[in-house]
Amino acid sequence: MPELTERQKTLLLLLIRDYIESAQPVGSKRLVEHYHINLSTATIRNEMAALTEMGYLRQPHTSAGRVPTEEGYRYFVSQMMNQAELPVSVQATISHQFYQSPADIEQWMTLAASILAHQSQGVSVVTAPHTDKAKYKHVELISTQGRQVLMVLVLVGGEVSQQILTLAEPVSQERLSQTATRLNKLLAGLAVDAIAALPARQDALDQDILTLILRDIRRTAEQVSGEIYTDGLTNVLSEPEFAESHEARRALKLFGERSALQDLVARTMPNSNVGGLQVLIGGEGGWEELRQCSMVIARYGVPGLATGALGVLGPMRMSYARTIPTVRYVAGLLSDLVNDTISGE
Amino acid sequence: MPELTERQKTLLLLLIRDYIESAQPVGSKRLVEHYHINLSTATIRNEMAALTEMGYLRQPHTSAGRVPTEEGYRYFVSQMMNQAELPVSVQATISHQFYQSPADIEQWMTLAASILAHQSQGVSVVTAPHTDKAKYKHVELISTQGRQVLMVLVLVGGEVSQQILTLAEPVSQERLSQTATRLNKLLAGLAVDAIAALPARQDALDQDILTLILRDIRRTAEQVSGEIYTDGLTNVLSEPEFAESHEARRALKLFGERSALQDLVARTMPNSNVGGLQVLIGGEGGWEELRQCSMVIARYGVPGLATGALGVLGPMRMSYARTIPTVRYVAGLLSDLVNDTISGE
DNA sequence: GAGTAGCACTCTCCAACCGAGAGTGCTAAC
DNA sequence: GTTAGCACTCTCGGTTGGAGAGTGCTACTC
């Protein structure tokens, strides 16, 4: 890859920035007029020709302005990656919102999704913190009516699942509480395998509940990620890319289906660590439907204990300058929150 | 309103059905050819002119086919209201899905939203069952780490809320359990007012938790509806109405915002009882943004104990024949499920 | 009088066309 | 290395001119 001169570099970044704002191909004249450059349009044209030659820009048709290629965006992103910071005031507003809201994972997730969508004007995705090494922490059994029992199962790492069981026969709350207490002593801190290896209990009720607990933990452990939260689908509806092209419309369909989303997060994330941040441009990573889109994603949480992913999807010309620092900042915040809440167990 | 002859009636219904499928203005020729009517196009034209006169049809322009007016749709819906039934096989599939899924309100809601969206090809909205007369049922306190405590609060009616509290100082699980047991005895079945009227507890921990419980119940009671679930936003993206008109695009924005949705459900539902089913055509009820849309909504649940709403939003020419019976059937199913789970308390 | 054939009329849709304008690449001069 | 100038290309917006669809009306038939 040939080197870029300093001038080419500024020109390229300027042009991409302008295109991201205007969504219009950028010509030499526009560049000179809007950014009072001390050069003539002809010189700019020469440079743009060079940049086109190198693969950073392209022309939609012979006589239109230039538009960034994927390569161009990649360069643009790499340039701002380490430098972009969220204004302190925005940071404050965001963190304020988190610490104001009730301390509840579900709320945090919705809030994160909403903030990301709002700041980036794209579609946000957040997965709840999740661990593949699920360990038992606590169970509660609450009788509701007759044979119906509400079971609340808490895992080490903070995941909570509730389920209504129907028992073979009515059981008093007292007996349920005793069962819960026994099981809590017995199972504290055990992983799936250890629980499965336990000898059968004499007490039939104990054994029934135990089986259910086991099934529930297994179910949780099998999932590749926690519950998925998303927001801002409608943000993107007003973008010209999506309004026109049938192509891009399909990308949205993808986001309507939870299962596809889960897949996407699972596929894109394994090669990334907590703290890292990835920018996938133009459907990098083999997503045909997302060829016109970009994603900014990051992992958050406490490695080995509970981690989740969060990110933003938008048109390829999304505002990286805004999105990247936001994703990074929110990921950091969530990591802290998760850490405060569940670490040390 | 002048009477419709039998022939006008069939013609009108036929035309509307055709338009709903094709999304194209329907002309006299098309009508004759597709439905082998024993009349000439000229006769049809005369009848269509009459129907237009009466306000059931209109012409987008002088020489296009006819399109139903709101009035026309209203007539169409009133004709099928009592007659449309879901095929038994579809009923079976749907109810199967519900009884297969884990008995968990959240799951039911997501499932209902998904089924509605899928069957109707529109956007679905489901609100969780909710009561305005919240009564205490049960609390559990689970220590997680240090001063962090997970509180699970169950209300009569089945609503469950969980929250993480931060206490002033670390408290053992044992002490937490005792507190929970005491409070459960004390508060069982009490409504907000009764709890608020209770004398202060000597035990500081008891009192703290009590205050938090009270705040939580109040918060729940104040909401006009339970959590809102929605699905199928992307279904509607492929409809021509939404692809083109900027107008209709705004309707979708409305559905992106939870608060607006909540408002909408609250505003439209009070005049409807469980079991009843409303069809709002063309934004009836004062929703400017929904002028091009229709909604089919119903209440479900156990009156006085816990009720919720569910419905479908789609273009005015949505498939009522499919949507109406589906909404009705799912509402019935959810009512049964809610009833099975929480009644008798 | 209900139904129908025929016809003139209206209006949209589509394709072709054209000119204005934007932007380019290249060349020659500074 | 930079710039002025120019010929060239291509899109975009507006216009034009059928072709086709659908209508309303009239006059005719049973």
Side-chain angles (χ1 to χ4, degrees), chain B residues 133 274 300-307:
Chain B
K133 300 174 238 155
V274 168
Y300 72 89
V302 183
L305 236 183
T307 65

Side-chain angles (χ1 to χ4, degrees), chain B residues 20-43:
Chain B
I20 285 179
E21 271 178 32
S22 68
Q24 298 281 333
V26 184
S28 52
K29 196 169 147 212
R30 177 177 174 95
L31 225 41
V32 173
E33 281 175 1
H34 278 61
Y35 303 93
H36 27 75
I37 298 172
N38 251 349
L39 292 170
S40 78
T41 59
T43 313

